[in-house]
Amino acid sequence: MNSELPQDVLVLLIGLSIATGLFLLSLVRTFRLLRDNHRMEVEIARMEKQSVLQQLEVTSVHHDAMSWRAKTQRQFDALRSELSHRLQQVDQGGANALKEMDAVHQQTLAVAMAKISELEAALAAQPKAAAPALPPPFTAALPKPPPAPASLPPLPAMDTLRIQSLESELAAAKAEIASAKQQNSALQRALLLARRRTPVTAMRKSSPRGAVRSA
């Protein structure tokens, strides 16, 4: 039967078959492309929505970080101001205490030196002092007193007791001067240690600020 058809009709049938196959293939391909395009559009919409949410989250995190940084900066500034004020108070108190200690030390030293000078003068003048001359006793008219019993020890002279008392006062004044000098040196060392420890504390307090800036 096919052989009875004309040659042109056979060519047309072959061409039509090829065109129909290509058309069906193009339809299938178009359908698959439309389906992939729809899936891609849905995916793009989802990704855009996720991107917007991430952008909002990043903005919120950045705002919170800036707020926390500003709050930390204000706290650090307040802490630094308070530490500076305390340092000034400590320096002023130490200087005033040192001045008062020096004044007391100078006053005590002056009083002690005056007392020592007086005691030394008294000690130097004590051996040279001469007892006043007494009139000769009337031994002829008065009977001789009975001799002192040999069992009682001789009493020390008044000059010896006074010299011992002056020496004990001199030793006490020297000990007081030495104690005042020790207290003055201890106060100076304590003030020096306080001045040395204060910058270390300020440096330790400033370390969180560096950490915040590095963040």
Side-chain angles (χ1 to χ4, degrees), residues 129-199:
L134 297 175
F138 297 96
T139 55
L142 297 176
K144 292 181 179 181
S151 60
L152 295 176
L155 296 174
M158 294 298 296
D159 295 337
T160 305
L161 293 176
R162 187 175 182 182
I163 290 172
Q164 291 178 355
S165 176
L166 292 175
E167 288 179 351
S168 63
E169 291 180 359
L170 180 60
K174 289 182 178 180
E176 185 177 357
I177 291 174
S179 177
K181 288 182 178 180
Q182 290 179 357
Q183 291 179 358
N184 191 12
S185 61
L187 182 60
Q188 290 178 355
R189 286 195 299 269
L191 182 60
L192 182 60
L193 289 175
R195 288 180 178 177
R196 287 181 179 179
R197 289 177 181 175
T198 304

Side-chain angles (χ1 to χ4, degrees), residues 121-134:
L123 288 174
Q126 188 64 32
K128 298 180 181 179
L134 297 175

